[in-house]
Amino acid sequence: MDVVSSLTSALPASAVITDPDSMDAYRWDRANDPDAGVPLAVVRVTSTEEVQQVVRIAAEAKVPIVPRGAGSGLSGGSSAIAGGIVLSLDQMREISIDPITRMAVVQPGAFNAEVKAAAAEHGLWYPPDPSSFEFCSIGGNIATNAGGLCCVKYGVTTDYVLGMTVVLADGRAVNLGGPRLKDVAGLPLTKLFVGSEGTLGIITEVTLRLIPAQLPPTTVVAMFGKLADATQAVLDIAKAMRPSMLEFMDKPSINAVEDELKMGLDREAEGMLVIQSDEPGEHSSVQAALIEEICNSNAASECYLTADPDEGEAFVTARRIAIPAVEKKGALLLEDVGVPLPKLGDLVLGIEKISAGREVTIAVIAHAGDGNTHPLLVLDPKDEAQQERARIAYGEVMDLATGLGGTITGEHGVGRLKAPWLAPYLGEDVMELNHRIKQALDPDNIFNPGSVYTGLV
């Protein structure tokens, strides 16, 4: 079977790309997986029906399919496979808002920011808020169950997915869930596909829950001379209230952001917290004042409170650009380990020790309010010895997190970069259950093989 000929016969001529130079942009996500292959073709689909056609052709030939959204992933989950098909959903961007039910029907290629903007036209809000919200797709957010800066109060992607259309490995399209807030008929299959990283089926449409627009927040920014003081402040805040944002940056990330923005951040501070309260009326300022008091009681070297939305957003922007700012210091190995909140201090201090012991810079940013951290290992591409130390440190950070009762990934996904650590983390029985589900839904392993699950044939 000539797969390319079958694809070009079934789809519009412009949908199938086979030129190597044109395909190159679709081979990697932001993880820059060095083992990414050269695909047989890149197919840019525009509808569920076109996805079905591609899947049927691939299934008959047993050719692997790698689904791809905006390419903003950080774990190698959309790395191309040699001889496979990259199925790009980037042209599927339609958004429909129902203000009465407060729901959105969205195609997977739509950017998170586009959904927020469409909802805002009706006085509504889509809360999941990754730092990359301006250029990450809804499909990718669902694939990894993305969280973001507001997740401490508003939850993560799965909390807002009510239904979806999924194309299965045999080419059937099934509708799961739908525009109902309560529905317990049958197994909760919608939730099974959230976080499945393109290994079980291709999501072509989703129904999302929206909520009334967020109230203007009050922002508190605190700097700390010791990491332990910053992380203890996080615990004390979390014990007293539920802010709408509770973010952390360490010294290397503070300095990288200051290099970029020149906003006067304290370069000597070991930790920085950006906290917001969006409680209604005077409750926001009361909560912010309590946050300020907690930070000062934990030896904050500087604490700043503002109700000005522009000033507050400037500090939120500083947190959002931390990854690209650190990325300018060298190549990155990115992690997103998470721990139970009481272990956050042990994790951050432990990462500091690993960084010193392996002589590798590790910048740490975190959605501190829920214990999800993003250690960023900075590499010199020309220093092979350092790269080897960084790879060791990468594993040590994950071992540290799991040893503290945490996880190897909170929202970036397993992808290909973390697949070797999945089985030890889950354990034999749970890993076997994962394999059974994968094999039941994708018996020929055509959906994203090599991502998440290793050793399947």
Side-chain angles (χ1 to χ4, degrees), residues 96-105 118-119 121-124 210-212:
S96 175
I97 306 294
D98 183 345
I100 296 176
T101 61
R102 295 203 294 259
M103 294 180 191
V105 177
E121 292 179 4
H122 300 274
L124 300 172
L210 307 174
I211 65 174

Side-chain angles (χ1 to χ4, degrees), residues 235 339-346:
L235 300 187
V339 292
L341 196 54
K343 298 294 184 180
L344 179 64
D346 294 333

Side-chain angles (χ1 to χ4, degrees), residues 145-451:
N145 194 18
L149 276 66
C150 294
C151 57
V152 60
K153 180 175 183 178
Y154 290 100
V156 296
T157 297
T158 191
D159 300 309
Y160 297 88
V161 178
L162 296 173
M164 61 177 64
T165 300
V166 183
V167 175
L168 303 177
D170 59 8
R172 286 180 297 163
V174 296
N175 296 314
L176 306 176
R180 299 167 294 277
L181 293 176
K182 292 184 176 181
D183 186 349
V184 295
L187 296 175
L189 297 179
T190 303
K191 299 298 184 183
L192 178 64
F193 284 88
V194 178
S196 62
E197 302 187 49
T199 63
L200 302 180
I202 311 295
I203 298 169
T204 60
E205 185 177 273
V206 292
T207 300
L208 301 174
R209 181 170 65 93
L210 307 174
I211 65 174
Q214 185 183 30
L215 297 172
T218 301
T219 304
V220 179
V221 180
M223 314 297 289
F224 296 85
K226 295 180 180 179
L227 284 175
D229 292 335
T231 56
Q232 185 58 49
V234 170
L235 300 187
D236 291 347
I237 292 168
K239 183 169 61 176
M241 68 194 77
R242 187 171 66 166
S244 57
M245 183 180 297
L246 181 45
E247 296 290 304
F248 167 84
M249 295 166 56
D250 72 349
K251 188 173 184 177
S253 56
I254 293 169
N255 277 270
V257 169
E258 180 62 17
D259 288 343
E260 191 74 12
L261 297 181
K262 306 291 193 298
M263 61 188 299
L265 300 178
D266 181 2
R267 290 185 177 274
E268 298 304 314
E270 293 293 333
M272 169 180 166
L273 298 181
V274 179
I275 314 117
Q276 287 190 330
S277 169
D278 66 355
E279 293 295 303
E282 64 182 17
H283 298 292
S284 176
S285 58
V286 170
Q287 193 174 75
L290 179 56
I291 291 169
E292 185 179 34
E293 180 182 326
I294 290 172
C295 289
N296 285 327
S297 69
N298 280 283
S301 57
E302 181 182 352
C303 203
Y304 177 71
L305 186 154
T306 179
D308 184 280
D310 292 332
E311 288 183 333
E313 186 58 30
F315 287 104
V316 175
T317 298
R319 165 60 187 86
R320 287 193 190 280
I321 73 160
I323 290 180
V326 174
E327 199 168 19
K328 291 186 176 181
K329 306 301 178 182
L332 295 186
L333 280 175
L334 300 100
E335 302 202 62
D336 71 316
V337 296
V339 292
L341 196 54
K343 298 294 184 180
L344 179 64
D346 294 333
L347 177 64
V348 172
L349 292 171
I351 291 172
E352 184 182 44
K353 291 180 181 178
I354 292 171
S355 174
R358 295 298 177 187
E359 299 180 17
V360 175
T361 296
I362 306 179
V364 179
I365 56 179
H367 305 309
D370 62 8
N372 186 193
T373 68
H374 299 319
L376 315 173
L377 289 80
V378 184
L379 311 178
D380 180 351
K382 298 179 182 179
D383 189 336
E384 292 185 6
Q386 185 205 49
Q387 291 181 48
E388 179 60 27
R389 296 197 307 273
R391 282 190 287 269
I392 295 171
Y394 186 86
E396 288 176 336
V397 168
M398 282 193 281
D399 291 342
L400 171 65
T402 56
L404 293 170
T407 176
I408 62 173
T409 177
E411 60 175 343
H412 290 171
V414 174
R416 287 169 176 77
L417 297 189
K418 294 184 177 181
W421 285 274
L422 182 62
Y425 166 66
L426 292 179
E428 184 177 346
D429 291 340
V430 176
M431 190 67 181
E432 190 266 341
L433 184 58
N434 272 253
H435 283 173
R436 286 170 61 187
I437 294 170
K438 165 69 169 171
Q439 289 163 351
L441 291 173
D442 182 17
D444 291 322
N445 194 27
I446 66 167
F447 285 147
N448 219 1
S451 184

Side-chain angles (χ1 to χ4, degrees), residues 90-161:
D90 63 337
Q91 292 186 306
M92 298 181 67
R93 304 279 283 271
E94 293 181 6
I95 302 169
S96 175
I97 306 294
D98 183 345
I100 296 176
T101 61
R102 295 203 294 259
M103 294 180 191
V105 177
V106 181
Q107 289 187 320
F111 288 171
N112 182 294
E114 293 173 334
V115 176
K116 289 183 187 298
E121 292 179 4
H122 300 274
L124 300 172
W125 182 40
Y126 178 64
D129 190 38
S131 295
S132 57
F133 80 103
E134 293 180 321
F135 57 88
C136 64
S137 70
I138 287 295
N141 291 173
I142 292 172
T144 63
N145 194 18
L149 276 66
C150 294
C151 57
V152 60
K153 180 175 183 178
Y154 290 100
V156 296
T157 297
T158 191
D159 300 309
Y160 297 88
V161 178

